[in-house]
Amino acid sequence: MDAARDLEEEVLHENGLFFSVLFILCVFFGIFIGFFVSWFNLIYITLHKVDVGSKKHGGELVAQVLQSHGVKFVFTLVGGHISPILVAAEALGIKIVDTRHEVSAVFAADAVARLSGTIGVAAVTAGPGLTNTVTAVKNAQLAESPVLLIGGAAAGMLKGRGALQDIDQMSLFRSICKYCVSVTSVRDIIPSLKYAIQEAQSGTPVQVCAELLSRAKRPLLLLGSQATLPPTDVHTIRRSVEALGVPCYLGGMSRGLLGKNSPLQMRHQRKDALKEADLVIMAGTVCDFRLSYGRVLPRHVPIIAVNRDKDQLYKNSDMFWKPELAVCADVGSFLQELSLYLMDFKCSPDWIQQLRDRDEVKEEQNLKMSLEPANKYLNPLKLLFQLEKCLPDNAVLIADGGDFVGTAAYVLRPRAPLSWLDPGAFGTLGVGGGFALGAKLCRPDAEVWVLYGDGSCGFSVAEVDTMTRHKAPAIALVGNDAAWTQIEREQVPMFGSSVACKLSYTDYQDVAKGYGGKGFLVSEDSADIGSIFKDAQKLCKEGNTVLVNALIGTSKFREGSISV
């Protein structure tokens, strides 16, 4: 027993020495780290000296950074936390556009980012002001729009003490933002903002797939929203796609990239075309629900995926599809370089003609369907074909809805690059008012149309007031079928109930009038829809925001569409 006790004491003694040495090392290491951090802070403070004679406040520093980056608009709903920023930005000539809901402010900033090639900026107050933007921020993240959100916050000394609107804002936004920072001192405002803007606009390098394409006989190009993002100009991208001569399907913001009547753009029967292709290039197109998670892609055929984001690049790969070549790169730059490598490449004219003929047959079928009477009120296809005839070359189309907007995507032809704005992969309802506001401010000479379902109209119709006050008129067309029809199409056959899917044929035209706009009601199949649209266009040119409330019935055009 004595020997065992001696051994135990020896082990404890040795362990005690070990932990003592370890403790000393930890203390030394901690002192070293503390010294290093202090030294680094000293260097930082030396390089970022405070101008004690300056009378500028933090809001003026924010405004200066925004101005230096070409920001022309700041969208907001006013709050005490951000008043210094708004006042300073206005003083520097930046237009302050105050919306009726914070989510619309971020949607408007998103639209500006997509259309202008610069960063979109929204500033909102702390707490509920920020939480109100979460949906729009997530929408911008998935659409890869460079948006800067500036949020107010409770004063540092009051955090955790029950201050007004004090919540843990950073935790809420870290998962949906590329970069988050909390600025706690005036000296950090400029470097933090500059870095945030740099992160929002950063991209990746380009690789090449010329050899695979040069061997293809039936290639197909699927273009997504990324094809319209800076740094490459959209008109340069259009010329590159036309030079390649590969038949393509356009989705998201790329709609309109090739103009109204390009022989290369196909609008229908994409699933059949994919089955017959011997090479598919997904340029900014993500393999999510829009491609049935990859199930519609052909097997045993080379697939080239190009995307700025590595996660999006490989989305659902090894489940239903696998890329032959995955290129983490800017889509526009990639297409431009690819076209230069393949200047002598010619796609088979027979392949293009085959797809073109099939497309035209489907167009004829849709046109015939538009002439059929609806179960009541207007045939939605007829309404949209009439709108297609009236749209000018400078029209910008905003898509905000489910069933009605899904139909519109097949009928309306965006006239030019960056003339179609939809939410993107997040499928958000309520973007209409903010998107239209941002689009009109970016393109004051354009005729901006919001295509609303009657459900989505309720989210942002109040922004008619904002458009009126800020003299940014747009035209809204509401496809009013008194229902959440995209959900109802699936819910009723599956569960035998339309619970929560029914709305009323609300007089949205009167709602618009109450907010300072003009309104029309069209409900009869015999109505001269074209004349009503022309009257709306005339009023809009005179500076009025106009809402056309079109009562529609159902059609079989969207049968089989699903909502999840």
Side-chain angles (χ1 to χ4, degrees):
M1 292 293 291
D2 291 339
R5 188 179 295 110
D6 291 343
L7 179 61
E8 182 180 354
E9 288 177 354
E10 184 178 344
V11 170
L12 289 172
H13 177 69
E14 289 178 355
N15 283 345
L17 286 174
F18 171 77
F19 285 114
S20 296
V21 172
L22 181 61
F23 175 75
I24 292 169
L25 286 174
C26 288
V27 170
F28 176 78
F29 186 69
I31 293 172
F32 175 77
I33 292 296
F35 175 78
F36 177 79
V37 170
S38 298
W39 183 251
F40 178 82
N41 285 339
L42 184 62
I43 295 173
Y44 181 86
I45 291 170
T46 302
L47 294 176
H48 298 83
K49 291 182 178 179
V50 175
D51 182 0
V52 293
S54 174
K55 295 182 179 180
K56 292 180 179 178
H57 55 71
E60 291 173 297
L61 299 180
V62 173
Q64 287 174 3
V65 174
L66 298 182
Q67 184 190 49
S68 69
H69 284 81
V71 173
K72 296 180 179 178
F73 309 103
V74 171
F75 298 93
T76 189
L77 198 159
V78 72
H81 293 96
I82 56 171
S83 291
I85 297 172
L86 303 182
V87 173
E90 184 184 46
L92 290 181
I94 298 173
K95 184 174 177 63
I96 305 301
V97 184
D98 54 312
T99 62
R100 297 300 296 269
H101 195 291
E102 287 92 349
V103 76
S104 293
V106 178
F107 283 140
D110 185 341
V112 167
R114 299 189 197 195
L115 294 179
S116 68
T118 59
I119 193 165
V121 180
V124 300
T125 195
L130 267 172
T131 59
N132 277 348
T133 70
V134 168
T135 297
V137 171
K138 182 64 181 180
N139 194 77
Q141 181 204 31
L142 291 181
E144 298 180 90
S145 298
V147 170
L148 173 67
L149 175 61
I150 301 172
M157 67 179 66
L158 297 178
K159 282 189 176 296
R161 300 178 62 187
L164 176 66
Q165 300 177 334
D166 180 20
I167 61 170
D168 184 3
Q169 299 175 161
M170 300 301 286
S171 296
L172 280 174
F173 283 85
R174 280 194 183 99
S175 67
I176 59 173
C177 291
K178 193 175 182 181
Y179 173 69
C180 282
V181 64
S182 179
V183 180
T184 56
S185 64
V186 174
R187 74 169 74 248
D188 294 332
I189 290 175
I190 291 177
S192 297
L193 269 181
K194 285 183 175 179
Y195 186 75
I197 292 171
Q198 176 188 331
E199 280 292 292
Q201 296 179 311
S202 63
T204 48
V206 178
Q207 296 173 35
V208 180
C209 69
E211 185 178 348
L212 283 170
L213 180 55
S214 67
R215 296 199 300 262
K217 304 296 182 185
R218 299 183 306 281
L220 208 58
L221 178 60
L222 307 183
L223 280 171
S225 295
Q226 279 190 16
T228 66
L229 296 178
T232 311
D233 176 75
V234 287
H235 299 290
T236 300
I237 299 169
R238 175 179 182 171
R239 289 191 293 269
S240 298
V241 172
E242 289 172 341
L244 284 171
V246 175
C248 57
Y249 286 87
L250 309 180
M253 282 291 295
S254 73
R255 285 186 172 98
L257 182 68
L258 300 180
K260 181 182 176 182
N261 293 308
S262 170
L264 292 176
Q265 182 185 350
M266 309 302 159
R267 292 178 169 82
H268 308 287
Q269 314 285 31
R270 185 179 67 176
K271 187 182 293 187
D272 292 335
L274 284 168
K275 288 178 182 177
E276 298 166 0
D278 63 359
L279 174 75
V280 177
I281 301 175
M282 301 197 312
T285 298
V286 181
C287 231
D288 54 19
F289 67 95
R290 293 167 292 185
L291 283 175
S292 297
Y293 309 99
R295 283 191 291 258
V296 298
L297 295 175
R299 305 291 189 271
H300 313 298
V301 163
I303 297 174
I304 298 166
V306 189
N307 202 291
R308 291 183 175 195
D309 186 287
K310 190 174 181 180
D311 292 335
Q312 300 285 59
L313 182 66
Y314 291 99
K315 182 78 74 177
N316 293 310
S317 65
D318 297 321
M319 289 181 65
F320 303 109
W321 75 289
K322 188 176 180 67
E324 177 83 9
L325 180 63
V327 184
C328 194
D330 169 62
V331 172
S333 304
F334 169 84
L335 291 170
Q336 185 181 13
E337 189 169 342
L338 182 62
S339 68
L340 295 175
Y341 271 81
L342 292 170
M343 294 182 69
D344 297 325
F345 173 76
K346 298 291 181 185
C347 187
S348 167
D350 293 339
W351 170 237
I352 295 175
Q353 192 59 50
Q354 177 185 338
L355 297 176
R356 180 88 267 139
D357 291 344
R358 189 184 294 161
D359 227 46
E360 289 173 0
V361 168
K362 183 61 176 175
E363 289 281 352
E364 285 294 323
Q365 291 174 352
N366 292 345
L367 186 59
K368 287 180 181 178
M369 195 177 291
S370 74
L371 301 177
E372 298 173 359
N375 59 334
K376 59 179 176 180
Y377 297 124
L378 293 164
N379 182 326
L381 280 168
K382 178 180 180 180
L383 177 71
L384 291 164
F385 272 111
Q386 286 292 324
L387 176 58
E388 169 62 23
K389 293 177 182 178
C390 296
L391 290 175
D393 291 339
N394 69 346
V396 175
L397 304 176
I398 312 293
D400 185 11
D403 198 73
F404 181 66
V405 169
T407 302
Y410 286 96
V411 175
L412 304 180
R413 297 171 179 247
R415 273 37 182 176
L418 301 178
S419 60
W420 172 278
L421 279 77
D422 61 26
F426 205 32
T428 310
L429 291 182
V431 303
F435 273 20
L437 181 63
K440 187 62 179 180
L441 290 171
C442 272
R443 298 186 184 174
D445 296 329
E447 187 173 282
V448 176
W449 284 80
V450 187
L451 307 171
Y452 274 129
D454 54 327
S456 61
C457 177
F459 282 78
S460 66
V461 69
E463 302 306 339
V464 170
D465 166 73
T466 308
M467 295 177 212
T468 300
R469 288 185 293 107
H470 288 279
K471 297 179 174 56
I475 307 171
L477 172 61
V478 182
N480 187 352
D481 57 7
W484 298 95
T485 302
Q486 182 149 315
I487 308 301
E488 189 179 42
R489 281 188 188 279
E490 186 180 4
Q491 180 174 308
V492 172
M494 188 176 293
F495 299 106
S497 171
S498 62
V499 61
C501 293
K502 293 298 185 184
L503 297 170
S504 299
Y505 283 106
T506 301
D507 292 329
Y508 293 106
Q509 76 281 2
D510 292 338
V511 176
K513 291 175 184 176
Y515 280 120
K518 304 291 184 182
F520 292 93
L521 174 67
V522 53
S523 61
E524 299 299 326
D525 191 52
S526 58
D528 188 351
I529 301 169
S531 294
I532 293 173
F533 286 154
K534 288 177 181 177
D535 290 342
Q537 289 170 314
K538 182 176 182 294
L539 284 170
C540 188
K541 286 178 182 177
E542 294 171 356
N544 300 287
T545 291
V546 185
L547 186 147
V548 179
N549 185 20
L551 308 189
I552 59 174
T554 58
S555 76
K556 296 181 179 180
F557 182 76
R558 295 267 294 162
E559 275 190 354
S561 64
I562 61 173
S563 56
V564 294

